[in-house]
Amino acid sequence: MSIKPPLMDLPIATAESGFYAGFSKHVAVISKIIVAVLVIWAVVFPEQAGKILDTINSFILSNTAYWYIWIVALFVLLCIGLALWPSAGKLRLGVEDDRPDFSNFSWFSMMFGAGIGVGMLTWAVAEPVYHWGNNPEVIKGLVEGSSAENVRNAYKWSFLHWGLGAWACYAIAGLSLGFFCYRRGLPLTMRSSLTPLFGKSLSGGLGHLIDIVAVVATILGVAQTLGFGVEQFVAGLTRIGIGGLTNEAGTANTMGIVVAILVIMGASTMSALSGVGKGIKWLSNLNMGLSIFLLAFFLIFGSTWFGLQALILGVWDYLIAMPDMMFRVWRSDGVEGSIATSLEGWQGGWSVFYWAWWVAFAPFVGLFLARISKGRTIREFVLGAMIVPSLMCFVWFTWAGGTAIDLELNGSADGVIVGAPDGDKIFAMVQHMLSASMGWIMSVIIVILLMTYLVTTADSAVLIVNTINAAGDEGPKARPHIYFWGIALGAVVAALLIAGGHKAIQTAMVIGAFPFSIVMVLQCIALVKAIWRDSQRERAGVQTTNPDNAPEPAE
């Protein structure tokens, strides 16, 4: 039986004239309607929206814990398998002559900045401190919370949420898109990654649905990240002397939210208009440089030895415990306050929430990774997109968060860090460590760094949403839509924060992530099938790449 060549043409109907010229109206219009309805609903009927979203969220978290825990484990195993698979690992995301468009430094900078730079600034201090106080070992009564004996457990669980699992989600989405776009010449949009399963039927309604799911998940996933960032940005502005932006509890008030959104989304929209090769690349290099400076501060002036111990022991504990942590699902025994019920609640609020967050973030980061990774091999992509960013997160968590824990352990901080809101913990720590003037200067640097991360994340998200709406194409015709999605993304964050705070954003994000998690499992199947079939095609002398139709990454 003859082996057929792979599908190398997937036409997607786009408007020929008018405001939507060059765009898939089905995807663009329906996506905008869904987002607009969500914003209006959250603002006009906040109580009703909150109750309904909470009900749906509770149902998803209580009935899909197994699903989220196990699919992320699948993503990690598949990424490792593809890197080790000899015939798969050497394949390029492109034709054989293609080479990377960006240096390794710029590649890592853009990948890290768009991936979890914002969240890392919030949680590098806040999460280790939280898990130091409470984690599954504490719930089981095996160790005392906020004790020296609980430090290693704090890092084991922090690394679980910010390590290989998170980046495997991004790698699967990015690898699938890069493979089918740059090897097959298919449109750089989510539907292309499922062509081995559904073929040309993806040109129609099924493909539109997949891209709409990706757009909505992206907006909600990025809104979650920006929500944390906005709170921390306002906390930073307050620390450097700009008043009137927080309430009595120390969190952002309506004025603070509006000011932060206007500044961040205004700057990000301008950056998005300049494209990946200019504004986003420049900002990514800037925030990587500032990140290195801030990390050097913690390495030199923080708890250096404590952080080094936490890093080495934490990585060891994480790797040893990872099989159990990645697959174990705790279920309630129905008794309120029991250990089993408490463990289920902890896992739902942390691990399951994080996996939903990373899945919702995956279409955005995955497509962005694909756009900046043309010419790299699958092995290079997987190792670069999983291991290097994970290690960066681990270093941040151990030296920044480790300094905070050490200051609390030795009694120097006296609860100043633990008692601060999550977004304010890093500011509370540096101002405790330094004199008033130096603490102010360091707070300004952190605010600037946070600003660059927020802008990089938002402008990358706007470009990615536009790329999906434009059937994989991004160019000058997208400018009016860049303005729209910049405003829409800011409106989603502001509306949900004002209506219900972080809880509303988390709820909307978890709901939006579930449909795309199904798409990601299908991507895994499609990718393995395509690589396996290509090995058969190569033995039969059948062409597997389309050098004449591979779109170039946007500048």
Side-chain angles (χ1 to χ4, degrees):
M1 184 177 71
S2 61
I3 299 179
K4 296 181 180 180
L7 178 66
M8 296 188 185
D9 181 34
L10 186 66
I12 302 174
T14 56
E16 297 182 359
S17 61
F19 182 71
Y20 286 98
F23 284 75
S24 169
K25 293 181 71 173
H26 295 91
V27 177
V29 173
I30 295 175
S31 299
K32 289 177 180 178
I33 290 173
I34 293 173
V35 171
V37 168
L38 176 62
V39 171
I40 294 171
W41 186 35
V43 172
V44 178
F45 304 105
E47 292 187 6
Q48 181 194 62
K51 289 180 180 178
I52 294 176
L53 289 175
D54 280 344
T55 300
I56 299 174
N57 179 58
S58 298
F59 176 82
I60 290 177
L61 288 180
S62 62
N63 290 280
T64 61
Y66 283 102
W67 172 257
Y68 276 117
I69 296 296
W70 288 351
I71 64 168
V72 172
L74 166 67
F75 299 156
V76 172
L77 293 176
L78 180 57
C79 285
I80 295 173
L82 290 175
L84 297 177
W85 186 0
S87 59
K90 67 181 181 180
L91 294 176
R92 289 193 179 277
L93 302 183
V95 298
E96 286 304 312
D97 294 335
D98 283 334
R99 291 298 181 270
D101 296 303
F102 299 100
S103 68
N104 285 338
F105 182 81
S106 291
W107 186 51
F108 289 135
S109 297
M110 287 190 285
M111 178 166 53
F112 194 71
I116 50 180
V118 175
M120 183 199 66
L121 269 184
T122 301
W123 295 107
V125 175
E127 183 156 351
V129 168
Y130 179 90
H131 293 323
W132 175 55
N134 186 47
N135 58 55
E137 282 74 20
V138 174
I139 294 173
K140 294 176 186 176
L142 301 177
V143 67
E144 182 182 353
S146 302
S147 65
E149 293 74 23
N150 198 34
V151 173
R152 292 177 67 169
N153 292 321
Y155 279 102
K156 177 178 71 175
W157 291 106
S158 297
F159 288 178
L160 171 69
H161 299 146
W162 293 83
L164 299 181
W167 289 94
C169 294
Y170 305 153
I172 288 296
L175 192 58
S176 298
L177 288 164
F179 185 92
F180 293 104
C181 173
Y182 297 125
R183 289 184 65 83
R184 300 285 197 260
L186 298 176
L188 185 59
T189 185
M190 208 56 61
R191 71 180 79 189
S192 297
S193 62
L194 301 184
T195 49
L197 302 180
F198 303 108
K200 289 189 175 181
S201 64
L202 291 168
S203 291
L206 178 60
H208 299 332
L209 176 61
I210 290 168
D211 284 347
I212 290 168
V213 166
V215 169
V216 174
T218 296
I219 292 297
L220 295 177
V222 174
Q224 176 68 58
T225 300
L226 294 181
F228 285 131
V230 164
E231 289 278 8
Q232 189 170 36
F233 187 63
V234 171
L237 293 178
T238 302
R239 285 280 181 176
I240 62 177
I242 301 176
L245 303 180
T246 59
N247 54 33
E248 293 180 358
T251 57
N253 59 25
T254 301
M255 177 61 72
I257 292 170
V258 171
V259 169
I261 290 295
L262 288 176
V263 172
I264 293 164
M265 297 314 302
S268 65
T269 302
M270 294 301 101
S271 177
L273 289 169
S274 68
V276 175
K278 298 178 183 177
I280 296 176
K281 177 182 175 181
W282 184 84
L283 280 172
S284 296
N285 289 339
L286 174 62
N287 62 36
M288 181 58 75
L290 288 173
S291 296
I292 293 172
F293 171 80
L294 184 58
L295 183 59
F297 166 79
F298 288 119
L299 286 171
I300 298 171
F301 299 104
S303 302
T304 307
W305 177 242
F306 187 95
L308 180 61
Q309 286 184 303
L311 176 63
I312 296 172
L313 295 175
V315 170
W316 172 259
D317 292 339
Y318 166 62
L319 293 176
I320 294 298
M322 189 167 66
D324 180 68
M325 292 191 299
M326 291 291 293
F327 285 95
R328 180 177 296 278
V329 181
W330 283 299
R331 305 304 297 173
S332 171
D333 57 7
V335 179
E336 186 175 354
S338 68
I339 292 177
T341 300
S342 298
L343 287 172
E344 181 190 55
W346 185 93
Q347 188 173 52
W350 285 97
S351 299
V352 177
F353 162 71
Y354 266 122
W355 295 163
W357 187 7
W358 303 147
V359 166
F361 221 47
F364 153 53
V365 181
L367 202 153
F368 186 75
L369 286 181
R371 295 176 80 234
I372 64 175
S373 302
K374 182 181 179 182
R376 297 188 182 273
T377 65
I378 288 179
R379 183 173 296 112
E380 183 181 12
F381 179 92
V382 168
L383 296 179
M386 281 184 62
I387 295 178
V388 174
S390 293
L391 288 175
M392 279 291 293
C393 287
F394 296 167
V395 169
W396 264 95
F397 273 58
T398 49
W399 264 283
T403 297
I405 292 175
D406 190 36
L407 290 172
E408 291 289 357
L409 263 178
N410 63 33
S412 169
D414 195 26
V416 170
I417 302 171
V418 172
D422 290 335
D424 194 37
K425 279 184 169 62
I426 191 169
F427 296 105
M429 179 172 67
V430 297
Q431 293 197 352
H432 169 74
M433 294 170 61
L434 303 171
S435 64
S437 58
M438 290 303 297
W440 183 88
I441 292 173
M442 187 57 67
S443 294
V444 170
I445 293 173
I446 295 173
V447 168
I448 295 172
L449 175 57
L450 178 61
M451 177 73 176
T452 62
Y453 272 132
L454 287 167
V455 171
T456 303
T457 299
D459 61 14
S460 300
V462 169
L463 282 178
I464 292 320
V465 167
N466 252 354
T467 300
I468 298 174
N469 286 336
D473 181 38
E474 192 276 321
K477 66 178 181 300
R479 288 179 180 271
H481 301 274
I482 287 176
Y483 289 122
F484 173 87
W485 285 110
I487 295 170
L489 181 56
V492 169
V493 177
L496 291 176
L497 278 178
I498 293 171
H502 284 308
K503 180 65 175 177
I505 297 182
Q506 290 175 353
T507 300
M509 181 275 298
V510 169
I511 295 170
F514 185 72
F516 191 72
S517 68
I518 299 173
V519 173
M520 288 190 67
V521 171
L522 295 176
Q523 284 180 324
C524 293
I525 299 171
L527 187 59
V528 172
K529 179 180 179 181
I531 294 173
W532 176 257
R533 291 289 289 165
D534 274 6
S535 65
Q536 295 179 315
R537 293 184 181 107
E538 288 181 356
R539 287 195 295 268
V542 177
Q543 182 73 30
T544 60
T545 60
N546 186 353
D548 298 326
N549 194 35
E552 293 293 331
E555 291 297 328

